[in-house]
Amino acid sequence: MYAVTSPSERAAAEPSRLHGLLHVSAGPRGLRALEQRAPLRALLPRVPPGEPLTACLTNTAGGLVGGDSLTVAVEAEPGGRLLAMAQAAEKVYRSLGPDVRMDVTLTAGEGAWLEWLPQETILFDAARLRRRTRLDVAEGGRALAGEMVVLGRTAHGETVRTGLLRDAWEVRVGGRLAWMDALHLEGDLRRAVDASSGFGGAVAAATAVFVGPDLEDLRDGLRDLPTEEGAMRGATVVGGVLVARWLGHDAQAMRCDFGRAWAWLRHRAEGLPEKLPRLWHV
Amino acid sequence: MLDESGLYRLMTWLSPSFPVGAYTYSHGLEWAVETGAVRDRQTLTDWVEGVLLHGAGRSDADLFREAHGAEGAALDRVIEVADALRGTAELAMESANQGRAFLTAVTASWPHPRLEDLATRCRALERPPAYPVAVAVAASAHGVPLAPALTAFLHALAANLVSAAVRLVPLGQTDGQKAQAALADTVHEAAAAALGRDWDDLGAAAPVVDLFSMFHETQYTRLFRS
C-alpha cells in the first residue's frame, strides 16, 4: 500500500506552522518587559499626553492558518498603566483540519489600569479557531478587555458555513473565578447563526468586560448611549464584572458602536481621553 | 436503564409542581415576546429549538453531564464553572435560585449523603449550586442514569419556556402542546449531542438570549424575573 498525500494535505498535517509569542508588561514608570517572537511584534508608538503606555500588536504573517498558535501575555503591574491593542484585523483562513489556537493572558495588579482593545477577528469559511482569554485583576485594579469576531468576509458578501469558532473568557477578580463565557460554534455554523435565539442572522459579535469600581453606574451609562443602526448592544453586571455584548447585522456598524462605547467607558471609568488611538481607526 | 423508581424520581423533580419556582423565569423570552421575535407557535418553536441546541440547552447539558457522577475536586470544579458561566445577571439568578431551591427541596424529601456533600461544598466555595448541577447530582446519587436524567432536564427546560410563552404571547394551551410535541426530536438531539461532547467544548452560541436577557433587566412591564 502507498499512502497518497497531496502537498496541501501534508502541509495541513504538520503539527504547527507558526508559534507567535508576545509578552509586554508595564509598571508605574513605564515599560518593564517586552518579549516577542515572530510573527508577533509590538510597536510602542508615541502617544498624546494623558494616554497610558501603548503597545500596538501586529501579526507580520498577515493571517493565521490551521496549526498556528499565538500566545499573548499582557500585564499592567501594580500601579502601572498599559493599553495593548491590535493594529489590524486578524484573518483566520480556511483550515484543512487543525485548529488555530490563541491564548491571551491579561493581568492587572493593584492600582493598575489595563486596556486590551481588539480589532476584528475575521473568520473565513471553514476556518477553525480556538481562542482563550484569561483576565486576572487584583483587588483595586481596573481592566477593560474585549474581542470582536466577524463571520466571513462580509464586505465581499461571504458568510461562513462550516468550521469552528470557540471564543472563551475566564475572568478572575482578586484570584476568584468571577465570570466565564464560552462561545462555541462548530460544524454546520448556519444553524446557530440563523437561529432566532442563536445569532439571529447577525454577521458579527463582540464582547467587552470591565473590572473596577462603580459597575452599575457604568452599565446604566452604557445603556443610555445611543446605538448605531445595524448593531445591537446590551450591558449587564454579573459576578462582579460589567459585561457588554454586541451583535451586528452590519459588521462596520458594530465596530463603530463598539469603538464609541469603548471610548466612553475608558473616559468614565479612568478619566482617559474619550477617544481611541488613531492607529485603531487606520 | 431507567427503572420505575428512576422514572418516578425524574417525574417528581422535574415536574412544574416541584418547588423551584420555574414558572417565574422566562430566560429572556419575555423580551422576545415584547419585540415580536416570538409571536406565535412557529416562532416559539424556533426560539426554543435555538435555546436547546445552541443556548442553555447546550452549556447546561454539558455541566449536567460533568456533574453527574463527579465527586471531590472534579465536582468542585463543575460547581465553580457552572456558577461563573452565566451570561447576565438575570440568567445567573435564574440558575442559582432554582439550584438552591431544588437542593433544599430534594434534600428534605429524598435525602442522600451526596446531597449533603454538595451543599457542604457549595458553602465552602461560597457559590450556589447551579440548577443543572443540583439536578444532576441528585439523579446520580439516587441511581438515575445520566441519559434519561439529561433528557428529562432538557424536556423541563423546553416545557418551562413553552409554558411562559403560553402566558406571554398569549397562545392557546393546544398550541403550546403542539410546540412541545414539535420539540421532542430537538430535546433528544440536544441530549445525544451533549453525551458525546468533550468538556473542552463546553459552551453555547446564543448571544441573542444574552442580549435579550440584558434588555429584560430594564423592561418596563414584566411578569417574569428573567
Side-chain angles (χ1 to χ4, degrees), chain B residues 5-148:
Chain B
S5 75
L7 180 63
Y8 192 91
R9 283 166 173 76
L10 289 177
M11 293 189 71
T12 306
W13 299 341
L14 294 163
S15 133
S17 68
F18 202 71
V20 297
Y23 64 92
T24 61
Y25 304 102
S26 88
H27 199 73
L29 179 73
E30 187 161 28
W31 181 263
V33 172
E34 171 85 12
T35 61
V38 170
R39 59 191 174 275
D40 53 21
R41 170 155 55 95
Q42 188 57 52
T43 50
L44 168 65
T45 309
D46 292 346
W47 178 270
V48 179
E49 181 182 304
V51 172
L52 286 166
L53 294 178
H54 316 298
R58 191 184 187 286
S59 50
D60 274 354
D62 287 333
L63 296 163
F64 193 105
R65 180 197 67 233
E66 292 301 312
H68 192 275
E71 289 182 75
L75 181 56
D76 283 348
R77 177 69 183 153
V78 180
I79 292 168
E80 285 188 318
V81 171
D83 178 43
L85 192 77
R86 300 292 153 192
T88 71
E90 290 188 349
L91 295 178
M93 175 196 62
E94 173 187 311
S95 174
N97 285 359
Q98 291 186 95
R100 270 191 290 255
F102 182 87
L103 187 54
T104 302
V106 83
T107 305
S109 45
W110 306 78
H112 193 284
R114 283 180 56 199
L115 295 170
E116 307 281 354
D117 174 64
L118 175 61
T120 306
R121 287 177 186 284
C122 287
R123 270 195 302 275
L125 295 166
E126 298 178 23
R127 308 223 179 233
Y131 187 41
V133 172
V135 179
V137 169
S140 172
H142 285 280
V144 183
L146 171 59

Side-chain angles (χ1 to χ4, degrees), chain B residues 155-181:
Chain B
H155 167 272
L157 168 64
N160 194 53
L161 293 178
V162 167
S163 157
V166 165
R167 284 172 281 161
L168 283 168
V169 173
L171 291 176
Q173 293 291 347
T174 307
D175 266 336
Q177 287 316 306
K178 284 181 177 169
Q180 187 72 36

Side-chain angles (χ1 to χ4, degrees), chain A residues 169-190:
Chain A
W169 283 86
E170 205 174 303
V171 179
R172 288 175 191 276
V173 181
R176 179 182 163 87
L177 180 63
W179 187 70
M180 287 181 84
D181 188 58
L183 175 65
H184 194 108
L185 291 106
E186 190 165 10
D188 176 5
L189 304 190
R190 295 313 315 174

